[in-house]
Amino acid sequence: MATPATPVAPRPAAPPADPEAPPRRRRRRLARFMRNRAAVAGAIIVLIVIVAAILAPWLSPYDPVQASFMTVRQAPSAAHWFGTDELGRDVLTRLLWGARASLLAGVVSVGIAVAIGVPLGLAAGYFGGLVDGIVSRIADALLSIPFLILAIALAAFLGPSLTNAMAAIGISAMPRFVRLTRGQAISVKAEEYVEGARAIGLGHYRIIVRYVLPNVLPPIIVQASLTVAMAIIAEASLSFLGLGQLPPAPSWGSMLNTAKDFVSQAPWMSIFPGVAIFVAVLGFNLLGDGLRDALDPRES
Amino acid sequence: MLQVIANRLLVAVPTLILVSMLIFGLQKLLPGDPVLAMAGEDQDAQVIATLRAKYHLDEPVPVQYALWVRDVAHGDLGTSLRTDVPVTTLIAQKLPVTLQLAVMAMLFALGIGIPAGIVSAAYRGTALDYGANVFALSGMSIPNFWLGIMLIFLVSVRWHLLPSSGYVSPIDDFWLSIKTMLMPAFVLGAALGAQLMRHTRSAMLSVLSADYIRTARAKGLLRGRVIVRHAFRNALIPIVTVLALLFGELLAGAVLTEQVFTIPGFGKLVVDAVFNRDYAVVQGVVLVTALSFIVVNLAADVLYILLNPRLRRS
Amino acid sequence: MRTLMIAAALMTGVLATTGAMAQTPAQTLRIGLQEDVGSLDPARSAQVVDRIVFASLCNALVDIGPDLKFVPMLATSWTTSADGKTLTFKLRQGVKFQDGEPFNAAAVKANLDRYRTLPASNRKSELASVDHVDVVDPYTVAIVLKAPDAALLATLSDRAGMMLAPNTLADPAGVATHPVCSGPYKFVQRVQNDRIVLEKFDGYWDAAHYPIQRVIFQPIPDSTVRLANLRSGSLDMLERLAPSDVNTVKQDPNLRFVSVSGLGFYDVTFNVGNGPRGNTPLKDKRVREAFELAIDRDAINHVIGAGIFTPANQALPRSSPYYDAALPFTHRDVAKAKALLKAAGHEHLDIELTFGNSTVSSQVAQMLQAMLAEAGINLKLRPTDYAAALNAAHNGDFEALFTGWSGRVDPDGNLHQFNTCAGNLNYGHYCNAKVDRLLNDARTKPDVAARKPLYDAAVKLLADEDPIVYLYAQPWPFALSKKVQGFTPYPDGLIRLRGVSVKG
């Protein structure tokens, strides 16, 4: 029976690991990860973004919101490394603060998607039957509306703000986790030791937590990292359309929205936020790839 | 095989119903009276009342939904609240545009992604593979609307090479139509090409490590032949399934691309309709999109079975 | 000999392809619009941009000159009866509709009746003062009013006075999708969000003065892209140039910048009585005055407006004969603002500003925020999309609202609906019986001399009470290719193509 590929590469699920695994496996995985230069680069980038976001108030040379009408649209210079925007604010400062919004958007959206999607997927995969039927239909329905269109509709319903954008993206990304978790849960459920656990009388909840969840975690972590990348772009897209973080609060997407009207006079306003988004997303993509290669060697 | 198609169709129906209810419900929850937006600057109270009655906006939501379903069953998707043009006319006008964009983007994606994926898999581990992978990841990481803005700035404004926006029908002027669509299609296709490249690579890799490939090589077949005739054919299967998924991303990416390049297609229609609270248009367009997505997935599933001799027998 | 043949063949080939590439025949004008047109039925039209298309597609009974005085169009002369209740028009003879039908008084009656009775007609309230329309003879029509209405002539220069071909009126859907009017250009095609194509109507009564053969309107909401199209040659002119692009256009040798201060305005409206959110310190006149004192209109004009955001202190445009030139401008005085706030008992104040999100409105809001902060007012910004902003305005879900109005020729159009107690567009629910009396009275007086004192008094009262702080007049900045000749901008922002040509 044909199964549409999950966003994780199309191949058979990894053999479920016995949860009593020795720490040696973890060390092996870590070693594999460290050997992968691209993955390490991704991890470093992500770390830089996180640090920039956390330390923004201390790293920024200027105030991100204070307008200064004397220094409007200045090209990059010693005083303003990345130039100033249409209201005279330092672009570098707003980039650093914007990291907060983008990172928050990425992490929280995925958090929502995981928090809703994984339990639903587990239930659907493990219990099957009616539960599976309903959950799968809902996931299919959500997946049949293009992700961005769904996010736009939701964000428009909720009103333009960062929180609402995060909720919209989270809900739109949720079905992928449902599908992924469901698939994993189904294959774990078929394993012998699960049958054995049932035989000795372990409750459903216990089994799910002790046996199913640990095996589901690795692909979820990989998917989460890749989805953070997707969520950062989605938040930028929503802000670009006017549905996310609205000015004057700094956000890379809304900076691009304003910057596009000044492309000929102040191209630096468009270049740097775009590069920032690119770098952050690249970092998460590299990290996700590296995690996938480390946690599941079958790919190589 | 007919059994499979019948099964999938059966499953598609409740999905479609759910989608329609979801979209309908969402719209009703949107804050902002659409009639206010339609009444324009003058905000005439009488007009507002008349419009509310005309579009049954004062009825309870389930009633409105039932009325809409009844109309759809008759092929009537309603009329745009803003311009009084029938939604079916709008779709007929916009679909070819987005379709042209999608096809050209897909050509870019296939033309970049598949050869890159094959080469990457064939030269696995070398600098070529590494470079291609980074290139692909970069393609996936660039926000496509930013790429669009940068390209417009360079290619149209600075270098005057290509038109920066709008749409020319291929019937009116074929080459100008292609020229106008070139940048948007590239922007849209680049991200997809990157993803396609990675999927092709991994599909090829898993196929290349298979036993029958080693047998073919042992038999003395040329490497190139092995790759193209044996490996790729079998790698096609997962690639085809991914294409169906990418189709959805194509539609979504088209929304932003059409916004940046001002292309009067489906995506732009939906965004404008959401901002204008043009219910009828949003409902009709999303329904059609969901339907086409389901159809494409069905086609992919059928293709998958046709391509996979193992499944055909079952 | 062979070489010559080959060369000739090549030349023909080259010429043929270049010929094929030069798709745009001479005398086609491509205009970039700020947004997509709504309905092409004048009865249903509700947007400013629709009127730009109508200016070429349709004729109204009268038109305006650049000085806002009324000039003949489909009517050649008009008189008002002594009691002000009957407006008689003498119609132009020999005029045909674009489908060949003759234009006469019966056609006028049919159209006016339609505007007044069509269920979803947006023109009903504009024609509310009309009691009935009489056909006196084939070329004379009399409009009988319930009460004198000085603004009616202005209304008849706009959509309510546009004449559609009578035979097409029976099918309302047809009118919107294929309007047949009597203007210099007839409708050819419309693709929503893409283009509207008009072609010269050879039977037009003034056809000789319209060199352009084909007009293509292209809505391109993104102002950067619109300008990029103009610069690359895909457009010949565009309307509503973004202020940030003004200097670029001025410096471009291939482009020309033409701007005129319009009939409309941008303002901050205070909620002083619309629902529970109207119970803020803004109810106190002194707080509103302090708000205005903290604003530097010239700075807004300079930083955001590139010089085209002419400061405004009243609802009426400078081009209007009713403009009160004697009304003083309130200049920025932070100390006085602080003193007023202290006297009102609100030294530090939080006010929420709601506005429809756009580049310019966002910039203005942020600038206001910075300026007001210095006076002790913390302006919280609440951007929304257009539809939600409208909703908030109607329901009184705002404290201060940044909004605009495209403006009307008659002063009544800029004042009545906004400042009378029952006014349709009086979102703040400001109510002053004296203002109501003045504005209602001014509607019935016959001429400028009689009306101006009333409007002066009303404007002074409003400036004193400050329910609305006017910021700047809505400008109409156009950017044209140097190839376009003969274009004159009008304060109503419409593009009139009489005498306009495109140099080949």
Side-chain angles (χ1 to χ4, degrees):
Chain A
M1 189 62 187
T3 20
T6 62
V8 186
R11 53 180 159 70
D18 185 359
E20 319 294 346
R24 211 187 308 148
R25 174 177 288 111
R26 244 165 277 145
R27 259 185 268 133
R28 248 188 287 146
R29 285 172 171 173
L30 187 62
R32 248 199 314 264
F33 183 86
M34 297 303 280
R35 256 179 282 141
N36 184 344
R37 273 175 295 167
V40 173
I44 292 178
I45 293 177
V46 169
L47 211 62
I48 293 178
V49 173
I50 294 177
V51 164
I54 296 177
L55 294 182
W58 295 277
L59 290 172
S60 318
Y62 296 89
D63 187 301
V65 200
Q66 178 68 37
S68 160
F69 302 112
M70 295 301 111
T71 55
V72 169
R73 276 178 273 145
Q74 287 185 344
S77 62
H80 296 278
W81 290 3
F82 287 175
T84 61
D85 67 7
E86 81 286 1
L87 285 176
R89 297 170 297 201
D90 181 43
V91 172
L92 174 60
T93 306
R94 283 177 68 80
L95 269 188
L96 290 171
W97 284 81
R100 290 192 159 193
S102 299
L103 208 58
L104 202 64
V107 170
V108 171
S109 323
V110 171
I112 294 175
V114 166
I116 305 178
V118 169
L120 279 180
L122 283 174
Y126 186 81
F127 293 113
L130 186 62
V131 176
D132 184 12
I134 296 177
V135 171
S136 290
R137 285 297 77 70
I138 294 178
D140 282 345
L142 282 175
L143 277 173
S144 62
I145 306 172
F147 168 68
L148 201 62
I149 296 188
L150 183 60
I152 289 173
L154 285 170
F157 144 57
L158 296 165
S161 84
L162 187 60
T163 334
N164 295 336
M166 294 194 287
I169 298 170
I171 296 175
S172 309
M174 182 257 293
R176 287 152 211 263
F177 287 94
V178 170
R179 276 260 183 97
L180 180 64
T181 317
R182 175 181 173 274
Q184 294 287 331
I186 288 178
S187 61
V188 170
K189 187 176 156 200
E191 284 294 315
E192 283 182 351
Y193 60 81
V194 172
E195 271 200 56
R198 288 288 293 140
I200 62 171
L202 277 182
H204 288 302
Y205 179 69
R206 250 354 218 330
I207 296 181
I208 293 179
V209 171
R210 277 192 83 188
Y211 296 107
V212 183
L213 203 51
N215 286 303
V216 162
L217 269 179
I220 288 183
I221 293 176
V222 172
Q223 179 72 333
S225 177
L226 296 170
T227 313
V228 168
M230 202 175 78
I232 293 179
I233 290 198
E235 184 273 327
S237 307
L238 285 178
S239 300
F240 178 73
L241 290 172
L243 288 170
Q245 175 101 301
L246 287 169
S251 139
W252 294 338
S254 70
M255 285 168 78
L256 278 176
N257 188 3
T258 327
K260 77 176 187 324
D261 292 334
F262 299 97
V263 155
S264 9
Q265 307 120 42
W268 53 89
M269 283 172 66
S270 317
I271 296 176
F272 295 110
V275 169
I277 297 176
F278 168 61
V279 167
V281 173
L282 184 66
F284 277 100
N285 272 327
L286 285 173
L287 181 64
D289 264 14
L291 284 172
R292 174 201 290 146
D293 288 343
L295 291 173
D296 184 0
R298 275 187 172 225
E299 155 77 344
S300 326
Chain B
M1 172 143 104
L2 279 163
Q3 180 70 5
V4 171
I5 300 181
N7 264 337
R8 297 301 254 162
L9 276 175
L10 221 60
V11 161
V13 170
T15 310
L16 252 180
I17 293 179
L18 257 175
V19 169
S20 69
M21 281 171 54
L22 186 73
I23 285 305
F24 199 87
L26 268 181
Q27 287 231 88
K28 290 306 170 183
L29 293 168
L30 277 171
D33 196 338
V35 178
L36 287 182
M38 279 156 58
E41 261 198 322
D42 303 287
Q43 299 290 297
D44 189 315
Q46 263 189 313
V47 174
I48 291 174
T50 316
L51 288 171
R52 291 192 72 85
K54 179 175 173 196
Y55 292 105
H56 311 290
L57 292 170
D58 286 325
E59 315 253 1
V61 176
V63 172
Q64 294 186 46
Y65 178 69
L67 285 170
W68 180 62
V69 170
R70 183 202 62 188
D71 287 336
V72 171
H74 286 116
D76 173 18
L77 289 171
T79 49
S80 162
L81 271 60
R82 197 172 65 86
T83 58
D84 297 327
V85 175
V87 175
T88 32
T89 313
L90 287 174
I91 292 180
Q93 281 177 343
K94 309 291 174 188
L95 198 53
V97 179
T98 303
L99 223 59
Q100 183 184 348
L101 177 64
V103 166
M104 284 176 69
M106 211 34 144
L107 285 175
F108 266 113
L110 289 169
I112 301 173
I114 294 194
I118 295 178
V119 163
S120 191
Y123 291 97
R124 192 189 123 205
T126 63
L128 202 60
D129 176 20
Y130 195 70
N133 202 34
V134 169
F135 190 69
L137 272 175
S138 306
M140 279 166 59
S141 308
I142 295 183
N144 77 344
F145 57 89
W146 180 66
L147 184 62
I149 296 174
M150 294 282 103
L151 277 181
I152 290 181
F153 175 53
L154 283 173
V155 176
S156 301
V157 178
R158 273 274 167 88
W159 300 332
H160 297 281
L161 284 176
L162 291 170
S164 61
S165 80
Y167 173 73
V168 175
S169 164
I171 309 173
D172 293 335
D173 184 344
F174 184 72
W175 287 116
L176 189 60
S177 175
I178 301 288
K179 265 178 87 179
T180 317
M181 229 22 138
L182 213 58
M183 261 199 301
F186 172 71
V187 165
L188 191 52
L192 271 85
Q195 288 196 51
L196 197 56
M197 177 245 157
R198 284 155 60 80
H199 277 109
T200 308
R201 179 180 177 277
S202 72
M204 285 291 290
L205 282 177
S206 55
V207 160
L208 279 174
S209 61
D211 282 341
Y212 63 86
I213 293 293
R214 247 187 282 150
T215 317
R217 295 284 284 132
K219 281 206 283 182
L221 283 178
L222 281 170
R223 185 152 192 260
R225 224 157 182 223
V226 171
I227 289 175
V228 175
R229 279 192 71 186
H230 297 272
F232 184 56
R233 277 252 210 93
N234 288 298
L236 264 181
I237 299 162
I239 291 175
V240 159
T241 43
V242 155
L243 280 180
L245 212 80
L246 287 183
F247 176 69
E249 295 218 19
L250 197 66
L251 286 177
V255 169
L256 285 164
T257 315
E258 288 178 7
Q259 197 77 0
V260 173
F261 289 93
T262 319
I263 299 173
F266 240 45
K268 193 162 194 311
L269 184 65
V270 163
V271 173
D272 289 346
V274 168
F275 276 113
N276 289 325
R277 306 289 189 271
D278 200 341
Y279 287 169
V281 174
V282 178
Q283 278 152 210
V285 167
V286 173
L287 195 69
V288 169
T289 311
L291 189 67
S292 56
F293 198 57
I294 290 173
V295 165
V296 166
N297 267 301
L298 181 64
D301 283 342
V302 169
L303 208 61
Y304 183 76
I305 295 176
L306 282 173
L307 281 175
N308 193 339
R310 266 176 274 166
L311 288 177
R312 230 185 292 163
R313 254 176 274 129
S314 67
Chain C
M1 186 56 198
R2 231 173 90 122
T3 339
L4 218 59
M5 296 273 284
I6 295 175
L10 277 171
M11 281 285 284
T12 336
V14 167
L15 285 171
T17 24
T18 36
M21 293 235 281
Q23 280 296 310
T24 319
Q27 299 311 322
T28 295
L29 186 67
R30 294 157 303 169
I31 306 177
L33 298 176
Q34 164 91 337
E35 66 243 335
D36 191 25
V37 170
S39 179
L40 279 176
D41 178 355
R44 300 268 301 117
S45 160
Q47 291 172 223
V48 167
V49 73
D50 305 345
R51 298 167 62 207
I52 295 182
V53 176
F54 286 137
S56 294
L57 179 63
C58 295
N59 275 163
L61 282 176
V62 297
D63 196 8
I64 56 163
D67 54 1
L68 298 187
K69 290 211 174 41
F70 295 107
V71 299
M73 192 152 242
L74 284 179
T76 50
S77 67
W78 48 92
T79 50
T80 319
S81 64
D83 64 357
K85 287 215 222 153
T86 309
L87 203 54
T88 311
F89 289 91
K90 282 255 181 292
L91 304 175
R92 191 178 298 271
Q93 305 197 13
V95 175
K96 276 207 269 284
F97 285 103
Q98 287 153 359
D99 63 351
E101 283 180 73
F103 168 71
N104 51 32
V108 173
K109 179 171 164 67
N111 271 288
L112 287 177
D113 285 346
R114 178 173 182 264
Y115 289 134
R116 294 189 305 122
T117 58
L118 190 73
S121 165
N122 271 317
R123 313 270 81 84
K124 267 192 244 185
S125 55
E126 291 171 18
L127 295 170
S129 58
V130 175
D131 186 70
H132 64 270
V133 179
D134 286 329
V135 175
V136 174
D137 66 51
Y139 293 103
T140 312
V141 67
I143 305 177
V144 181
L145 310 173
K146 300 179 202 142
D149 181 0
L152 188 63
L153 202 57
T155 305
L156 292 173
S157 73
D158 193 357
R159 286 160 290 195
M162 289 186 185
M163 299 293 140
L164 295 158
N167 284 350
T168 63
L169 294 180
D171 174 19
V175 176
T177 47
H178 193 119
V180 179
C181 261
S182 65
Y185 296 94
K186 57 179 192 255
F187 178 85
V188 172
Q189 181 204 31
R190 175 189 185 171
V191 179
Q192 191 162 319
N193 282 353
D194 184 31
R195 64 188 54 218
I196 297 173
V197 183
L198 306 179
E199 221 165 50
K200 174 130 185 234
F201 171 43
D202 291 315
Y204 185 60
W205 54 271
D206 195 19
H209 286 110
Y210 289 82
I212 306 246
Q213 297 294 316
R214 217 166 134 92
V215 187
I216 304 177
F217 294 95
Q218 290 178 284
I220 304 177
D222 187 324
S223 55
T224 321
V225 177
R226 204 157 69 237
L227 182 60
N229 269 298
L230 181 66
R231 294 174 88 183
S232 66
S234 315
L235 286 177
D236 300 306
M237 71 180 285
L238 55 83
E239 55 111 7
R240 276 179 282 180
L241 179 70
S244 51
D245 290 325
V246 168
N247 284 323
T248 316
V249 172
K250 281 186 178 168
Q251 287 160 11
D252 189 324
N254 295 322
L255 301 178
R256 191 173 31 203
F257 173 68
V258 187
S259 174
V260 72
S261 191
L263 300 173
F265 51 79
Y266 282 93
D267 67 86
V268 175
T269 302
F270 298 116
N271 186 350
V272 293
N274 189 352
R277 295 201 75 182
N279 281 326
T280 62
L282 287 166
K283 271 184 124 100
D284 187 334
K285 193 171 88 171
R286 290 171 294 185
V287 174
R288 302 198 294 266
E289 222 194 303
F291 193 103
E292 190 178 0
L293 280 165
I295 299 177
D296 184 353
R297 290 179 176 83
D298 288 313
I300 295 180
N301 187 14
H302 179 66
V303 174
I304 304 174
I308 61 173
F309 283 3
T310 322
N313 63 351
Q314 57 190 276
L316 302 175
R318 286 174 201 234
S319 47
S320 169
Y322 297 93
Y323 180 70
D324 186 353
L327 190 71
F329 269 88
T330 308
H331 290 286
R332 184 166 206 238
D333 191 336
V334 176
K336 192 162 172 213
K338 280 192 176 154
L340 272 170
L341 283 174
K342 195 161 176 204
H346 297 282
E347 265 194 80
H348 289 282
L349 197 50
D350 281 339
I351 300 180
E352 185 190 75
L353 181 71
T354 306
F355 59 97
N357 195 31
S358 78
T359 309
V360 170
S361 62
S362 174
Q363 286 180 279
V364 173
Q366 292 178 68
M367 201 162 182
L368 286 175
Q369 190 183 46
M371 291 192 275
L372 287 167
E374 292 182 30
I377 299 179
N378 177 23
L379 197 66
K380 290 196 316 239
L381 301 186
R382 177 182 157 211
T384 66
D385 66 75
Y386 176 64
L390 261 183
N391 211 47
H394 267 265
N395 299 332
D397 181 18
F398 69 95
E399 292 178 11
L401 180 73
F402 175 66
T403 181
W405 173 244
S406 67
R408 296 287 179 270
V409 174
D410 195 277
D412 186 72
N414 278 13
L415 282 166
H416 198 272
Q417 294 287 51
F418 297 90
N419 300 103
T420 50
C421 299
N424 218 8
L425 298 167
N426 187 351
Y427 297 127
H429 282 200
Y430 166 74
C431 194
N432 181 332
K434 256 199 281 205
V435 170
D436 267 36
R437 258 202 314 273
L438 286 165
L439 292 179
N440 285 330
D441 214 13
R443 273 183 150 179
T444 61
K445 296 281 178 284
D447 54 35
V448 182
R451 297 171 81 196
K452 188 163 197 311
L454 295 167
Y455 283 119
D456 283 351
V459 162
K460 265 198 197 45
L461 260 174
L462 290 170
D464 182 54
E465 301 247 293
D466 254 352
I468 298 178
V469 174
Y470 299 96
L471 292 177
Y472 54 93
Q474 171 164 52
W476 294 109
F478 296 94
L480 296 89
S481 152
K482 278 260 157 67
K483 292 192 268 170
V484 177
Q485 316 261 313
F487 173 70
T488 323
Y490 281 62
D492 60 2
L494 301 187
I495 299 175
R496 291 174 173 78
L497 293 178
R498 190 176 196 271
V500 177
S501 62
V502 180
K503 212 164 45 173

